[in-house]
C-alpha cells in the first residue's frame, strides 16, 4: 500500500484531458496497483473521491464512495472511462471540496440524477444510476478527467469558504 502525493491546484496535470484506458491497460499490474493506491490515498485524506490526474496520472479513472451517506465502512467503487448522462435536466447547488484545493468549500450546481456508463477495474461494463450526493461526486470526479475543477462550475464565488468557517457557519445548512 502506498499513499500517493496529491497534485494541488496550479499543477498543470489538473488542467489536462486524461486519456481513456483500454481493457489491456487494466490487465497491467501497475494499473491495478494504481487503483489500490488511489483507494488508500483517498481514505488517508478522508476524501469521498479521487481522480487519477489528482495523483499525477493522466488516465480516465476515479475511485469514490458512492453511498448516499459515505462513511468509513462504505465500499469504494473504481470507475474507468466514465460517460455521464443526466437523467433529468434538474440541477441543485450543494457544497463541494476537493483534495487538490485543500481546506476550501464552495457551492456548485450539479445534475441531481445521472447515469454513469463506465468500466469497472476488471474492464467489465457497468452502469450506475446515481441521485443526490453520489451523483454530485461522480460529476466532480469525471470533471477532473477533463481538466475541470469545481471552481469552474460555480455560478458565483460568493460562497467560497475556508473549512473552519464552513464548519462554523455553513455545515448545518440543509441542501436537499
Ligand atoms: Zn476534486
Amino acid at each position: 500500500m502506498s499513499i500517493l502525493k496529491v497534485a494541488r491546484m496550479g499543477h498543470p496535470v489538473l488542467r489536462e484531458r486524461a486519456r481513456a484506458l483500454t481493457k489491456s491497460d487494466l490487465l497491467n499490474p501497475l494499473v491495478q496497483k494504481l487503483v489500490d493506491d488511489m483507494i488508500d490515498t483517498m481514505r488517508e485524506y478522508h476524501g469521498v473521491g479521487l481522480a487519477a490526474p489528482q495523483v499525477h496520472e493522466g488516465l480516465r479513472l476515479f475511485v469514490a464512495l458512492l453511498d448516499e451517506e459515505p462513511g468509513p465502512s462504505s465500499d469504494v467503487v473504481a470507475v474507468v472511462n466514465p460517460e455521464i448522462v443526466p437523467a433529468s435536466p434538474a440541477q441543485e447547488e450543494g457544497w463541494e471540496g476537493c483534495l487538490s484545493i485543500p481546506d476550501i468549500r464552495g457551492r456548485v450546481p450539479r445534475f441531481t440524477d445521472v447515469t454513469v456508463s463506465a468500466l469497472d477495474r476488471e474492464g467489465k461494463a457497468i452502469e450506475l444510476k446515481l441521485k443526490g450526493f453520489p451523483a454530485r461526486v461522480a460529476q466532480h470526479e469525471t470533471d477532473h478527467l477533463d481538466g475541470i475543477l469545481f471552481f469552474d462550475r460555480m455560478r458565483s464565488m460568493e460562497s467560497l469558504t475556508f473549512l473552519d468557517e464552513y464548519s462554523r457557519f455553513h455545515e448545518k445548512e440543509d441542501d436537499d
Side-chain angles (χ1 to χ4, degrees), residues 6-15 53-54 56 98-105 144 147-152 154 157 160 162:
V6 177
R8 300 204 308 173
M9 183 168 59
H11 194 297
V13 72
L14 294 174
R15 291 307 194 172
Q54 293 182 276
H56 309 86
C98 181
L99 294 178
S100 295
I101 311 173
D103 299 332
I104 299 270
R105 295 287 182 274
H144 275 302
I148 297 168
L149 299 175
F150 81 80
F151 282 12
D152 307 336
M154 293 174 66
M157 295 290 143
L160 275 184
F162 287 106

Side-chain angles (χ1 to χ4, degrees), residues 87-174:
S88 93
Q91 295 197 14
E92 176 172 83
E93 280 209 336
W95 290 101
E96 292 188 21
C98 181
L99 294 178
S100 295
I101 311 173
D103 299 332
I104 299 270
R105 295 287 182 274
R107 289 176 67 81
V108 185
R110 298 286 186 186
F111 292 107
T112 54
D113 290 67
V114 298
T115 302
V116 182
S117 304
L119 301 178
D120 69 10
R121 63 184 293 175
E122 273 85 45
K124 186 162 67 73
I126 53 171
E127 192 176 88
L128 306 169
K129 293 193 184 302
L130 303 174
K131 278 183 199 302
F133 189 70
R136 173 174 299 281
V137 172
Q139 289 168 86
H140 176 119
E141 299 310 329
T142 299
D143 270 354
H144 275 302
L145 310 182
D146 293 319
I148 297 168
L149 299 175
F150 81 80
F151 282 12
D152 307 336
R153 297 285 192 195
M154 293 174 66
R155 290 200 184 102
S156 146
M157 295 290 143
E158 203 175 334
S159 66
L160 275 184
T161 304
F162 287 106
L163 190 53
D164 282 353
E165 284 70 16
Y166 169 78
S167 304
R168 282 177 64 195
F169 300 115
H170 303 292
E171 197 165 14
K172 301 283 180 273
E173 280 172 19
D174 187 11

